[in-house]
Structure formats: C-alpha cells, structure tokens
Amino acid sequence: MLQGYKYRLYPTEAQKVLLAKTFGCCRYVYNRALAIKIELYEKEKKGISIFKIKRDMVTWKKIEETKWLSEVNSQSLQSSLRNLDAAYTKFFRDKKGFPKFKNKSSRNSFCNPQGTKIRNKRLYIFKFKKGIPIVLHREITGKIRSSIVSKTPSGKYFVSIIVDDTKTE
C-alpha cells in the first residue's frame, strides 16, 4: 500500500538557487509544451504526443538560448510533461477545465519519480549531491517510490515522499 509523508526542508542558499532553477525549468517546459499543443490544435486540429515533445526537449537542451535546461534533473522536466499530458487528456476525455499556463506565483513544485534517498538527516535527489537538510519528525517505513519538492508562497520548502510499505489491505 502506498503511503505519504511530508517533511520540512532547510536548504542552503546555493541549494535554494538550484531549487528555484528547477521550479523555473519545469514551469518553462510545461508552458512551452502547452503552447505547442495549443498552436498545433488551432492550426491543424491535431494533437501531439507527449513522447514527441520529450524528444524535442532533448534538442531544446542543445540550443544556446535554452541550454540552461540541462542544469536541472531531466526526470523532473519529463514529469512536468506527464502532468501536462494528464491535464490535457482530462480536458478532452472528462470535460474538465483546460490546462492553464503556470506563472511564478503559482505553486512551485517538481516531482522526482526515482532516486530519492534519505541519509543522515539529509534528502538526496538528483543534482543535489550534498543533500538538503530535512527534519524527520517521524520514521519512514517502506521503500521510497517518488518525492515532490515544493515551496510555499511564504518561502518554506517541503518534500512529500510516497512510500510503498508492502502491506496488503
């Protein structure tokens, strides 16, 4: 069974910069992919596969004007594309609201679908080699599946960790 835990993070100033870059890059990729989907649908009444956009993202990292995308975890960027695809699918299938462009004042978060580790009161995710200090107010039981790092409007950082505790219901 999956279980969630939420903990407070206390990143250093350098880590805050990298977190801000990651939030910004995920927002940029989401918005750019949404613009591509809208433009293609308006012109040709066709959709575009999220896999095609993921392949295009590789070339975005090589272009001089968007080379900065390679500074952050690529899995987090791909996760933001999956979120867009899910929102886009819900709009057409379930008639839910159309996906909106993200801005800086909206919720800042990014997903780490794998590679999350906690050791010595530090959270280790890709690109954060020294680990982010974390307050573990309760013990994690089970295998860590994924994590979502977020920042509140008041400037506090949190991590939500999804754990498979291997218990059956």
Side-chain angles (χ1 to χ4, degrees):
M1 183 166 74
L2 296 178
Q3 189 172 3
Y5 295 90
K6 189 170 185 177
Y7 299 104
R8 177 86 186 268
L9 297 175
Y10 291 94
T12 65
E13 290 305 314
Q15 290 171 337
K16 285 179 183 179
V17 169
L18 186 53
L19 286 169
K21 283 182 183 181
T22 307
F23 295 140
C25 288
C26 289
R27 182 175 53 248
Y28 174 82
V29 166
Y30 181 97
N31 288 342
R32 185 167 178 174
L34 180 57
I36 290 168
K37 282 183 166 281
I38 290 171
E39 183 181 342
L40 188 65
Y41 188 76
E42 287 175 350
K43 284 183 180 176
E44 303 175 20
K45 299 292 185 220
K46 283 180 158 179
I48 184 171
S49 164
I50 203 68
F51 301 107
K52 169 75 171 96
I53 295 175
K54 281 183 183 180
R55 283 192 302 270
D56 291 346
M57 189 174 63
V58 173
T59 60
W60 298 348
K61 291 179 179 183
K62 295 175 183 173
I63 300 171
E64 191 61 39
E65 62 201 31
T66 54
K67 201 177 236 184
W68 41 267
L69 286 172
S70 61
E71 295 176 14
V72 300
N73 178 10
S74 63
Q75 290 183 357
S76 296
L77 298 177
Q78 291 174 10
S79 181
S80 66
L81 290 176
R82 278 193 300 277
N83 292 342
L84 169 63
D85 196 46
Y88 210 75
T89 301
K90 279 183 186 178
F91 171 72
F92 283 103
R93 187 186 59 211
D94 302 337
K95 305 298 182 214
K96 299 290 181 189
F98 191 78
K100 295 178 180 152
F101 289 99
K102 299 192 179 296
N103 58 35
K104 283 186 179 181
S105 62
S106 62
R107 184 173 180 256
N108 285 311
S109 66
F110 64 90
C111 180
N112 299 291
Q114 60 185 4
T116 302
K117 293 179 179 54
I118 296 177
R119 288 190 308 265
N120 301 326
K121 296 184 181 178
R122 290 189 172 273
L123 172 74
Y124 292 90
I125 53 179
F126 293 118
K127 301 285 183 172
F128 290 86
K129 298 199 186 318
K130 293 187 178 179
I132 304 169
I134 185 173
V135 175
L136 293 168
H137 56 275
R138 61 185 174 153
E139 187 179 336
I140 294 177
T141 55
K143 183 178 179 186
I144 297 175
R145 293 290 180 195
S146 65
S147 64
I148 299 173
V149 177
S150 60
K151 180 183 175 189
T152 63
S154 63
K156 296 177 182 174
Y157 294 87
F158 292 93
V159 62
S160 298
I161 298 174
I162 306 299
V163 175
D164 187 354
D165 63 4
T166 63
K167 293 179 186 172
T168 58
E169 293 182 21

